[in-house]
Amino acid sequence: MIHIFLENLQANLINVLLALKPWLPVLTIAVCVEIFRPGRKLKTKSTIGNLIYMPIGLALGATILGPAIEWGNTQLPHDIIHLRKFTESLWGSILVWAAYLILFDFLYYWFHRAQHQIPFMWRFHMVHHTDENVSASSVGRHHWLEEGFRYFFITAPLIFFMGGSSGMPVLITSLIIFNGILMHWNTAFRFGFLEKIIITPAYHRIHHSIEEKHFDKNFGVFTQTWDNIFNTRHLPTSDEYPNTGVSNISEEKTLALLLPWPIVFKKQATK
């Protein structure tokens, strides 16, 4: 049994590394900017730790959760509103995948909000927020079981209503991944009028802030639309770039937070 598990883990790790390979130049450029023009001084130890954990966490999650997720995909009705038929034309495809991103954005907002407001889910999400050095490398700093929660909140509804990500254009996949790197980027750059529209590094930094006035703010993943509608939006000022982490929980406790049942050694703070 253990032998089979290790074989599957190895195979998944290889697949993950191959999938991440095209993104190495992007991450390299992002980290270089963080070194020479950071929003806050980069902590090398945290960055290296995040980059090492990223493929391991993804591979472990795929090994543990993969079979159940694959089974779930076969049981779910797909594309019940029959939008995929419109992807046969260029404009139809553009509209369908734009609708997909809008729905994704909406579902992720509520999933992310639930992660902070439901204690059970926060326990698993906490490891992402204990990063005192939020940076591009933080994109992969998620508990390896988190995909199980994400499946019910995001993946399953997207499959049910729109057929999921099967047949997704490479451009859309790339946009989703690039957005995850961008929003965590530790940089002093500001993006002009886009700072009030999309999830920029400064905007998402507020979400990771240790300052109480920023708690439960800026849950969005693509746009600020849902934060604005549901009153969780906080637009950072030009000089607002707070420290990050979770109050009273040291980043040194990260490994305990990656256990199958995360262990919190210090008093849990409300985020």
Side-chain angles (χ1 to χ4, degrees):
M1 192 72 173
I2 295 178
H3 178 68
I4 295 174
F5 170 80
L6 292 176
E7 284 184 347
N8 290 337
L9 180 61
Q10 182 181 23
N12 283 320
L13 181 59
I14 292 172
N15 290 335
V16 166
L17 289 172
L18 290 174
L20 290 175
K21 186 177 179 181
W23 292 98
L24 284 178
V26 177
L27 278 170
T28 300
I29 293 171
V31 172
C32 286
V33 173
E34 290 172 334
I35 292 172
F36 295 107
R37 196 182 175 186
R40 292 227 177 234
K41 184 178 180 181
L42 193 69
K43 295 182 179 179
T44 306
K45 181 180 177 181
S46 296
T47 299
I48 293 174
N50 289 343
L51 292 174
I52 291 173
Y53 169 72
M54 188 187 306
I56 296 173
L58 290 171
L60 190 57
T63 304
I64 299 293
L65 300 172
I69 288 175
E70 289 178 11
W71 179 85
N73 290 345
T74 63
Q75 302 304 307
L76 278 171
H78 284 53
D79 189 25
I80 64 164
I81 51 180
H82 307 295
L83 286 178
R84 285 302 183 93
K85 64 184 179 183
F86 296 108
T87 59
E88 295 175 2
S89 68
L90 175 60
W91 284 108
S93 182
I94 291 173
L95 290 174
V96 167
W97 289 110
Y100 180 95
L101 290 177
I102 292 171
L103 181 57
F104 188 109
D105 198 32
F106 176 75
L107 293 171
Y108 198 98
Y109 171 85
W110 285 108
F111 166 63
H112 198 182
R113 192 163 173 175
Q115 285 183 299
H116 284 256
Q117 296 179 350
I118 299 175
F120 176 76
M121 294 180 67
W122 169 240
R123 180 175 287 270
F124 287 87
H125 187 52
M126 197 185 306
V127 67
H128 182 63
H129 277 269
T130 54
D131 196 340
E132 298 171 0
N133 179 54
V134 169
S135 63
S137 67
S138 305
V139 65
R141 186 186 169 118
H142 292 277
H143 194 284
W144 47 277
L145 287 175
E146 192 169 295
E147 185 59 34
F149 299 106
R150 190 179 290 113
Y151 182 82
F152 287 103
F153 275 82
I154 302 173
T155 307
L158 285 171
I159 292 173
F160 185 77
F161 288 109
M162 301 192 67
S165 61
S166 62
M168 178 184 287
V170 174
L171 179 62
I172 302 298
T173 305
S174 300
L175 175 64
I176 292 173
I177 297 173
F178 180 78
N179 179 73
I181 296 172
L182 174 68
M183 68 196 295
H184 292 98
W185 198 17
N186 175 23
T187 177
F189 289 129
R190 295 297 174 107
F191 294 81
F193 71 94
L194 291 177
E195 289 287 346
K196 296 182 179 181
I197 301 173
I198 65 171
I199 309 303
T200 64
Y203 185 86
H204 192 62
R205 184 91 180 186
I206 296 297
H207 176 71
H208 280 265
S209 172
I210 61 172
E211 298 180 30
E212 190 171 352
K213 66 180 179 180
H214 296 148
F215 290 178
D216 291 327
K217 298 295 182 182
N218 298 6
F219 292 109
V221 66
F222 292 138
T223 73
Q224 300 174 19
T225 304
W226 310 114
D227 279 315
N228 199 15
I229 291 174
F230 297 109
N231 199 32
T232 56
R233 184 183 190 220
H234 178 100
L235 283 175
T237 61
S238 59
D239 60 348
E240 198 171 18
Y241 204 79
N243 288 319
T244 62
V246 176
S247 301
N248 299 321
I249 296 181
S250 171
E251 190 171 2
E252 278 67 37
K253 304 297 182 181
T254 295
L255 289 178
L257 292 172
L258 288 171
L259 292 171
W261 178 253
I263 296 176
V264 182
F265 282 101
K266 296 186 180 181
K267 184 178 179 181
Q268 182 175 338
T270 303
K271 286 287 286 185

